[in-house]
């Protein structure tokens, strides 16, 4: 929207010259010229000349239609890159992919700019030729031809007074037409001016907001819960963030950007090597905890001790796949040079892909250097496996797994979890799958009402409890049937009596 507004503002501003200044000048010049009365003899010669030169001009006209199609295609690709950036902004920010994304956007932008420059250069030369021909050459010819009877006595032109009058009539008529056309354009430009005022207001609001952000003054439209006195107090506060090997939250509120308080005060700590499982109902703030860990959301109170964001890697349910080659997907946000600098080869990458049973994808897709829209080329499960391969490539201290195995089969899930723990990656997992419990030492259980329980996770005990609970729930489903049957039996019994 912002880019669209700026584009419309710029094009309207640029059109001001042709819509306003030029017609005004034309009106003045034509009106002046009208008073001069120049001749228009040799109209036929002029027509032939106009037709011939117009045909010539058409032959040398660059293919502007094809240029426009290419422009639209390139601009569409740039918009697409922007929209995927907006869609996956959180994942990209988490993985520190800003530089890679900037490079991709700049590459698409540079392609658009180069093409537009080429078109504009050709348009400029063509415009000069066209204007020169139409306005000045044809105009000059007209004047020269009109001047002939003034200097030479042409056969059949005895009545100089009549010729002079005809000349005056034709010229006056053309000048009058041009003058009225220019005046009309001045009138139309009023509409453009008011539209420009609207776009100027939008762009100026944007500039003011950016200036406010630079100064750290940022007011956000908060939801109703933010106006409650206690919530407002939390929102005004600021917590501390300290770097540490382990992760520790001390009385930290979890607050959404809208000002909704999901958890009033969260305290827990895990050491590097202690795997944490996070569970709770939808929308209770499980992923929001990761946003605070990744530095995407501010800390409104308490103390957060955590490693720097570079030591985390996030695998969301829908992993982000960038624009680029197959290799780029595995090493994102690194590029090939970074990979070589780390001493990793394509063979190493193949071994990593073999862990997630995706090594066949290299041959299937035509090699490491094949670039595709991987979002469409890979299935949901394959995307998750690629994201896990990315985790094994980067081998960070902490992995944030947000429903990261929801689309892969259980045996693959086990393989991936085993490999991650073998590499010494500490897992922070959000998942509803009981099969993942056994990989974790601690559990953070949100109740969905702003409360939580943080405790050791005894997977076996928890599994046994869950199985007993499920068995009881199944039995309870049969209770109405048993009750109905009992009532039937009682009725039969009383009938017999
Ligand atoms: N960028 C945001 N701006 C405003 N509110 C947000 C934003 N991101 C999340 N929220 C809100 O914060 C709340 C918690 O979101 P979160 O993603 O942490 O839920 P969750 O516990 O992970 O749920 P789920 O299990 O469905 O993924 C939700 O009500 C959501 O609407």
């Amino acid at each position: 929207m912002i880019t669209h507004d700026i584009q419309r503002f710029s094009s309207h501003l640029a059109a001001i010259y042709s819509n306003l200044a030029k017609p005004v000048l034309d009106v003045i010049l034509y009106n002046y010229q009208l008073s001069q009365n120049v001749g228009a003899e040799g109209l036929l010669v002029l027509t032939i000349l106009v037709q011939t030169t117009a045909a010539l001009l058409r032959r040398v006209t660059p293919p502007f239609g094809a240029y426009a199609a290419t422009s639209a295609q390139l601009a569409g690709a740039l918009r697409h890159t922007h929209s995927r950036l907006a869609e996956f902004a959180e994942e990209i920010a988490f993985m520190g992919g800003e530089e890679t994304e900037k490079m991709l956007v700049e590459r698409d932008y540079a392609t658009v700019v180069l093409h537009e420059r080429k078109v504009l250069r050709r348009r400029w030369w063509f415009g000069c030729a066209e204007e020169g021909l139409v306005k000045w050459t044809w105009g000059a010819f007209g004047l020269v031809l009109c001047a002939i009877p003034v200097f030479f006595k042409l056969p059949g032109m005895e009545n100089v007074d009549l010729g002079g009058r005809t000349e005056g009539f034709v010229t006056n008529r053309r000048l009058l037409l041009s003058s009225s056309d220019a005046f009309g354009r001045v009138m139309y430009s009023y509409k453009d001016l008011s539209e420009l005022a609207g776009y100027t207001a939008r762009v100026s609001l944007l500039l003011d907001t950016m200036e406010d952000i630079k100064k750290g003054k940022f007011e956000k439209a908060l939801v109703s819960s933010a106006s409650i006195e206690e919530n407002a107090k939390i929102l005004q506060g600021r917590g501390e963030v300290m770097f540490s090997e382990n992760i520790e939250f001390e009385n930290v509120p979890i607050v959404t950007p809208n000002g909704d308080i999901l958890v009033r005060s969260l305290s827990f700590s895990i050491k590097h090597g202690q795997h944490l499982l996070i569970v709770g109902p939808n929308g209770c703030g499980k992923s929001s905890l990761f946003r605070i860990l990744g530095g995407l959301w501010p800390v409104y109170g308490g103390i957060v001790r955590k490693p720097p964001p570079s030591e985390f890697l996030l695998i969301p349910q829908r992993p982000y796949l960038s624009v680029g080659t197959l290799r780029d997907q595995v090493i994102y946000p690194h590029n090939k040079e970074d990979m070589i600098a780390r001493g990793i080869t394509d063979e190493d990458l193949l071994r990593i892909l073999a862990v997630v049973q995706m090594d066949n994808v290299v041959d299937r897709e035509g090699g490491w250097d094949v670039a595709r829209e991987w979002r469409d080329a890979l299935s949901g499960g394959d995307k998750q496996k690629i994201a896990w391969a990315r985790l094994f490539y980067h081998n960070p201290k902490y992995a944030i797994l947000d429903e990261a195995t929801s689309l892969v089969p259980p045996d693959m899930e086990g393989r991936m979890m085993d490999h991650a723990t073998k590499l010494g990656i500490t897992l922070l997992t959000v998942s509803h799958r009981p099969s993942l419990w056994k990989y974790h030492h601690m559990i953070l259980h949100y109740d969905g009402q702003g409360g939580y329980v943080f405790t050791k996770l005894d997977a076996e005990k928890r599994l046994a409890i869950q199985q007993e609970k499920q068995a009881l729930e199944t039995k309870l489903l049969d209770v109405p049937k048993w009750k109905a049957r009992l009532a039937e039996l009682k009725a039969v019994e009383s009938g017999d009596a």
Side-chain angles (χ1 to χ4, degrees):
M1 277 313 284
I2 290 175
T3 50
H4 221 207
D5 279 347
I6 293 178
Q7 189 208 339
R8 280 186 294 199
F9 165 74
S10 311
S11 53
H12 271 75
L13 190 64
I16 281 290
Y17 166 71
S18 52
N19 288 349
L20 196 65
K22 193 173 166 294
V24 169
L25 195 67
D26 281 354
V27 170
I28 297 166
L29 287 177
Y30 287 133
N31 282 337
Y32 170 73
Q33 209 58 31
L34 263 174
S35 63
Q36 303 299 303
N37 266 342
V38 289
E41 284 292 323
L43 198 61
L44 186 65
V45 182
L46 196 61
T47 309
I48 293 168
L49 183 86
V50 165
Q51 289 303 328
T52 321
T53 46
L56 202 70
L57 197 67
R58 270 198 297 275
R59 293 212 83 190
V60 297
T61 304
F64 287 122
Y67 290 164
T70 314
S71 289
Q73 185 196 348
L74 294 177
L78 180 64
R79 261 199 304 275
H80 180 242
T81 311
H82 269 119
S83 63
R84 71 183 289 139
L85 190 63
E87 193 182 339
F88 290 94
E90 204 163 70
E91 285 86 349
I92 294 165
F94 221 107
M95 287 188 279
E98 306 88 45
E99 281 307 314
T100 310
E101 293 303 323
K102 188 169 162 240
M103 196 196 71
L104 290 172
V105 173
E106 279 177 356
R107 190 190 62 188
D108 281 358
Y109 179 68
T111 317
V112 174
V113 168
L114 281 179
H115 175 76
E116 291 302 326
R117 268 202 202 134
K118 183 181 93 179
V119 175
L120 283 178
R121 259 199 308 269
R122 298 205 173 166
R123 220 178 260 286
W124 191 81
W125 283 113
F126 180 74
C128 285
E130 193 184 39
E131 289 283 296
L133 193 73
V134 174
K135 287 222 159 140
W136 311 119
T137 315
W138 293 354
F141 262 106
L143 287 176
V144 168
L145 286 170
C146 291
I148 290 171
V150 177
F151 297 106
F152 306 99
K153 186 160 169 36
L154 296 177
M157 261 198 79
E158 270 119 33
N159 194 345
V160 177
D161 280 347
L162 182 63
R165 276 204 302 277
T166 315
E167 282 170 29
F169 170 70
V170 174
T171 311
N172 286 351
R173 200 180 58 159
R174 281 184 55 208
L175 287 171
L176 201 67
L177 279 176
S178 302
S179 175
S180 60
D181 173 57
F183 188 70
R185 275 186 285 149
V186 173
M187 294 303 289
Y188 281 131
S189 65
Y190 171 74
K191 190 179 101 269
D192 294 329
L193 266 183
S194 50
E195 273 184 33
L196 177 67
Y199 295 135
T200 310
R202 301 252 326 143
V203 174
S204 115
L205 181 68
L206 172 73
L207 292 176
D208 288 348
T209 311
M210 302 236 276
E211 207 45 50
D212 283 350
I213 291 173
K214 255 194 228 158
K215 288 182 196 148
K217 183 178 139 212
F218 187 64
E219 281 167 24
K220 201 157 190 323
L222 297 174
V223 292
S224 53
S225 73
S227 58
I228 302 168
E229 203 182 320
E230 201 185 342
N231 288 7
K233 225 157 84 192
I234 292 180
L235 289 168
Q236 276 161 13
R238 278 290 176 274
E240 270 182 86
V241 180
M242 297 176 185
F243 286 122
S244 152
E245 173 89 343
N246 305 316
I247 296 175
E248 192 177 345
F249 274 54
E250 218 180 291
N251 303 319
V252 180
I254 299 188
V255 185
T256 72
N258 280 346
D260 277 329
I261 292 164
L262 301 172
V263 180
R264 226 156 259 288
S265 172
L266 178 67
S267 299
F268 75 92
S269 70
I270 51 159
K271 293 198 171 65
H272 181 230
Q274 266 184 333
H275 307 301
L276 174 70
L277 181 72
I278 304 168
V279 291
N282 295 121
C284 65
K286 301 183 294 292
S287 310
S288 306
L289 174 69
F290 299 152
R291 295 181 185 115
I292 295 180
L293 276 178
L296 306 184
W297 283 9
V299 180
Y300 282 96
I303 304 171
V304 174
R305 294 187 183 85
K306 64 179 185 77
S310 58
E311 297 194 1
F312 289 96
L313 195 134
L314 167 78
I315 307 187
Q317 191 171 11
R318 288 179 313 127
Y320 174 65
L321 296 181
S322 70
V323 178
T325 63
L326 180 58
R327 186 189 300 101
D328 292 337
Q329 309 314 309
V330 181
I331 64 177
Y332 185 86
H334 283 183
N335 54 32
K336 199 176 169 188
E337 287 70 41
D338 299 327
M339 180 187 103
I340 293 168
R342 285 184 67 190
I344 293 184
T345 61
D346 284 348
E347 285 69 43
D348 296 326
L349 289 190
L350 203 62
R351 272 193 286 280
I352 290 175
L353 279 188
V355 176
V356 291
Q357 292 176 346
M358 282 285 284
D359 43 339
N360 62 334
V361 82
V362 183
D363 282 340
R364 189 186 79 196
E365 298 295 336
W368 285 110
D369 290 304
V370 169
R372 267 194 218 310
E373 182 51 274
W374 296 104
R375 276 204 300 189
D376 304 331
L378 298 174
S379 70
D382 283 351
K383 283 182 218 166
Q384 286 194 335
K385 288 197 242 168
I386 290 282
W388 277 83
R390 191 182 287 166
L391 173 74
F392 301 147
Y393 164 82
H394 285 286
N395 193 6
K397 265 198 172 141
Y398 289 89
I400 293 174
L401 311 175
D402 199 348
E403 299 287 359
T405 56
S406 57
L407 302 173
V408 298
D411 60 322
M412 176 52 62
E413 176 185 85
R415 234 178 121 91
M416 297 191 304
M417 294 296 280
D418 284 336
H419 194 71
T421 43
K422 211 164 79 192
L423 288 177
I425 303 171
T426 304
L427 309 172
L428 309 173
T429 312
V430 169
S431 176
H432 295 293
R433 283 191 174 184
S435 54
L436 285 180
W437 292 351
K438 63 174 185 246
Y439 296 99
H440 299 87
H441 305 113
M442 306 299 291
I443 182 165
L444 180 63
H445 193 149
Y446 290 89
D447 63 7
Q449 308 293 317
Y452 68 93
V453 175
F454 174 65
T455 179
K456 267 205 169 111
L457 173 63
D458 185 340
E460 273 177 33
K461 194 170 145 200
R462 200 178 166 86
L463 214 56
I465 291 173
Q466 210 208 23
Q467 276 164 359
E468 196 180 337
K469 215 172 90 187
Q470 268 175 358
L472 285 175
E473 275 167 1
T474 320
K475 276 186 190 165
L476 278 175
L477 286 178
D478 287 335
V479 169
K481 253 197 295 177
W482 294 344
K483 276 188 178 162
R485 182 65 187 147
L486 186 65
E488 263 175 42
L489 292 176
K490 276 184 183 164
V492 172
E493 199 180 40
S494 58
D496 285 351

